[in-house]
DNA sequence: TTGTAGGCGTTATCAC
DNA sequence: GTGATAACGCCTACAA
């Protein structure tokens, strides 16, 4: 069903139908009524692609996420999709995985679809290869990165100050009298590096001779459990463990529970993300809120500002905040 | 950058450029080389909308989800997006929320985008209003519903046998000597009604005088906790509680923990979804695996079969299975 | 107020 | 092997 079909049945030209569809003035009321009736009768819906072709605007926004199953990123995607849908944009969500090639390919796909903007969620997009792909394929539409930043005229970034956040976690534990702290990291993204650096700084100021840093080699609870057992084996005197994400922290809690080590009496535990995982485990988990949701709101605002030709903030850093729960004294 | 720009610079016609782009035969090797060089030089990417217009195929698939933040649905969306992306389809994911109007609107948006198929994830789409909207707007493309079904020639469904699954949960508890069981439901979707019915049947066969059924009025852990306290107040002798989803079950575990009631010694707990939530709580949660992931695989296969004009299954029901963990004896 | 014509970027069908 | 030309569905001057 095209506007020509409608036009023919109404006995008018396609332009008149178009005018009715787009609520333009200068149409005989009778014609308008007749056309509207036919539009309704056939449940006519304009073809977005054809419209986009002539108007040179796709009203498509790309959302790139390493893995949509990661709830830490999904919250943001949800907010952004809802907000943009209300403005008549359609969101194409692509899971890119963690290799540079598929990230670049995803960016190329966004170009094919002629997206009017994109949001890249997660620090894993902060790589030279992504920067190149954006320069090649998406250099004239606004790109907003959440928890990452790349330097290009059309790239905007909303970051969370996880470095000082983790440093504050160390300080919190120190104030409570903890003396031997370990950090378990789950990956090697720029964001995770910042967390590690925050831990190092905190430890340095604290005077602990050496920062105990472990790698869980994965982001599941089981990975966190395994890494925790390693920590305990090497350092039976550890009295505080900070994990780079909540999920591996829950594995840590389980490991301690199995060994009969009391939380927080013997060992304090802190996670990062302030996710639902931290709320449902027992004891509930103290966590560094890195403001994903606020970041998404800010990112969305920046994107909309760009789409509507308003000047906006190029880069912003949101302070993180510790949410204290039962796993710390 | 269009094929005309490339053509002009190469000193050939647009048709030749098009032929090169699409790897068609019948192009002078020299011309091909020259054009390819230019395509690379300008990082040319074809406009998907223009292509779609002439080929009458958008290569867009719509995915409708009530709320992408619900991990239970995200797993499926991930699998489907990855699988279709590999086949060069682009997925538009829409969060519809839980009201009929916005579900219908989402379906209309899919029509505007001329999607070639759609996947509706979640039993909440099984409503008359969605059926109407599909009939109006999407009646000539395959629609696959996960954990739901509507009767129309272009609608396919993959369902999970949650009714017998919950009944089996009741039986499991009965075998372990549990005598006073309660069920906490989180919502009133068709899927949840089936779970309740499964519970009723189980109870009937068991001989418990009356099925204790409570409504958590929400799907958060806090809602589950509140409902559990209600159950315990009304029935202090309860010795087994089944929850319609894992997340509210974790709230139940917390409520019991706070009251010093031992799980599973005094009260057994079972959830539904076999989600990560059940793996990280203490004790770990026995859960009815309603095969979301398998459903998504099946749904995706059905959709691809349709897209590639193969005959396929109209409706299928997957058996659910209990995953026993620490919360049941 | 209305209709005609041209064009958006691409592909397919013809002649040449 | 190559290049006009006509679609695809829609919108927007411009002319009537």
């Amino acid at each position: 069903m095209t506007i020509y079909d409608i036009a023919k049945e109404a006995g008018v030209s396609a332009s008149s139908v178009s005018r009715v569809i787009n609520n333009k003035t200068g149409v005989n009321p009778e014609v308008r009524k007749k056309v509207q009736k036919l539009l309704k009768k056939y449940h006519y819906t304009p073809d977005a692609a054809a419209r986009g072709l002539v108007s040179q605007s796709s009203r498509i926004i790309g959302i790139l996420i390493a893995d949509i199953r990661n709830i830490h990123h999904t919250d943001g995607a949800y907010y952004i999709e809802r907000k943009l849908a209300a403005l008549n944009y359609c969101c194409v969500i692509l899971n890119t995985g963690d290799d540079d090639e598929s990230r670049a390919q995803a960016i190329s796909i966004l170009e094919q679809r002629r997206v009017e903007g994109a949001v890249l969620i997660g620090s894993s997009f902060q790589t030279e290869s992504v920067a190149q792909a954006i320069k090649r394929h998406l250099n004239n539409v606004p790109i907003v990165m959440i928890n990452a930043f790349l330097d290009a005229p059309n790239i905007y970034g909303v970051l969370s100050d996880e470095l000082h956040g983790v440093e504050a976690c160390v300080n919190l534990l120190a104030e409570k009298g903890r003396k031997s702290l370990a950090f378990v990291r789950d990956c090697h993204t720029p964001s995770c590096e910042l967390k590690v650096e925050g831990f190092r700084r905190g430890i340095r100021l604290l005077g602990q001779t050496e920062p105990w840093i472990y790698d869980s080699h994965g982001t599941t609870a089981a990975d966190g459990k395994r890494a925790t057992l390693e920590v305990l084996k090497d350092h039976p005197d550890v009295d505080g463990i900070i994990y780079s994400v909540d999920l591996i922290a829950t594995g840590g809690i389980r490991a301690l529970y199995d060994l009969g080590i009391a939380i927080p009496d013997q060992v304090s535990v802190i996670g990062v993300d302030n996710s639902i995982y931290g709320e449902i485990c027992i004891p509930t988990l103290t966590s560094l809120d890195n403001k994903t949701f606020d970041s998404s709101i800010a990112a969305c605002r920046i994107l909309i500002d760009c789409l509507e030709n308003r000047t906006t903030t190029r880069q912003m850093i949101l302070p993180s905040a510790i949410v204290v729960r039962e796993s710390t004294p």
Side-chain angles (χ1 to χ4, degrees), chain A:
Chain A
M1 182 65 44
T2 75
I3 53 172
Y4 280 90
D5 301 320
I6 301 283
K8 188 189 283 178
E9 186 159 341
V12 297
S13 77
S15 17
S16 286
V17 177
S18 174
R19 280 189 273 263
V20 172
I21 291 169
N22 297 290
N23 276 315
K24 302 254 169 162
T25 56
V27 182
N28 185 308
E30 300 233 343
V31 171
R32 189 183 296 272
K33 278 237 170 94
K34 191 195 286 181
V35 169
Q36 279 170 335
K37 189 172 284 182
L38 287 171
L39 292 173
K40 190 156 266 179
K41 174 177 170 191
Y42 292 114
H43 307 297
Y44 171 85
T45 321
D47 182 318
R51 272 188 160 173
L53 202 56
V54 50
S55 69
Q56 294 290 66
S57 75
S58 64
R59 289 203 90 77
I60 296 179
I61 299 295
I63 298 182
L64 261 41
I65 311 189
D67 189 333
I68 205 188
R69 291 171 300 183
N70 183 336
I71 51 168
H72 186 51
H73 296 150
T74 312
D75 279 0
Y78 173 82
Y79 179 83
I80 292 164
E81 194 278 326
R82 288 287 71 199
K83 201 77 180 175
L84 290 171
L87 295 171
N88 257 303
Y89 286 95
C90 203
C91 290
V92 164
I93 300 180
L94 263 38
N95 295 281
T96 65
D98 256 335
D99 65 298
D100 264 335
E101 194 181 342
S102 73
R103 278 190 286 248
Q105 204 205 331
I107 288 168
S108 160
I109 290 173
L110 295 189
E111 187 196 10
Q112 281 179 240
R113 296 287 167 180
R114 298 296 187 266
V115 296
E116 299 182 28
V119 182
L120 277 49
I121 305 181
S123 120
S124 66
F125 290 100
Q126 185 174 316
T127 74
E128 189 47 41
S129 139
V130 169
Q132 289 299 325
I134 289 176
K135 191 172 292 174
R136 276 204 232 304
H137 296 292
L138 242 34
N139 65 355
N140 48 10
V141 297
I143 311 285
V144 186
M145 306 187 75
I146 294 181
N147 210 15
F149 189 70
L150 289 169
D151 193 31
N154 62 321
I155 299 183
Y156 300 77
V158 180
L159 294 121
S160 163
D161 189 1
E162 297 176 307
L163 189 151
H164 290 107
V166 173
E167 195 179 347
C169 290
V170 174
N171 291 336
L172 173 73
L173 292 181
E175 282 166 22
K176 300 295 184 180
R178 301 299 167 172
K179 300 206 176 321
S180 308
L181 306 182
F183 188 87
V184 179
R185 68 185 305 166
D186 70 313
C187 63
H188 290 262
T189 58
S191 156
C192 199
E193 297 297 348
L194 287 178
K195 295 173 195 168
V196 172
E197 179 57 23
F199 180 72
R200 284 186 197 282
R201 285 205 201 175
I203 291 297
R204 206 177 304 137
L205 268 58
L206 210 72
Q208 183 176 326
T209 50
E210 185 200 357
W212 298 337
I213 296 169
Y214 285 75
D215 195 327
S216 67
H217 301 293
T219 311
T220 68
D223 296 319
K225 183 173 173 180
R226 198 175 334 105
T228 303
L229 295 176
E230 259 185 76
V231 173
L232 291 167
K233 194 177 130 216
D234 294 351
H235 307 285
D237 55 329
V238 67
D239 58 8
I241 310 180
I242 301 175
Y243 295 83
S244 62
V245 292
D246 284 347
L247 192 50
I248 62 171
T250 65
I253 287 176
R254 181 68 202 205
L256 295 165
Y257 172 83
D258 285 347
L259 293 169
I261 299 175
I263 307 172
D265 295 345
Q266 292 172 265
V267 174
S268 301
V269 175
I270 298 183
V272 176
D273 278 356
N274 189 29
S275 65
I276 181 78
Y277 302 135
E279 294 176 45
I280 66 176
C281 53
I282 298 177
T284 54
L285 181 66
T286 293
S287 185
L288 182 69
D289 183 354
N290 48 16
K291 307 289 181 184
T292 352
F293 196 63
D294 291 351
S295 297
S296 305
I297 294 175
C300 198
R301 246 203 65 164
I302 290 175
L303 181 60
I304 293 171
D305 281 346
C306 291
L307 293 171
E308 299 178 347
N309 292 312
R310 264 175 263 128
T311 56
T312 184
T313 323
R314 181 83 186 294
Q315 188 182 20
M316 69 200 280
I317 299 177
L318 302 179
S320 50
I322 302 173
V323 177
V324 177
R325 297 206 185 85
E326 298 164 352
S327 68
T328 52

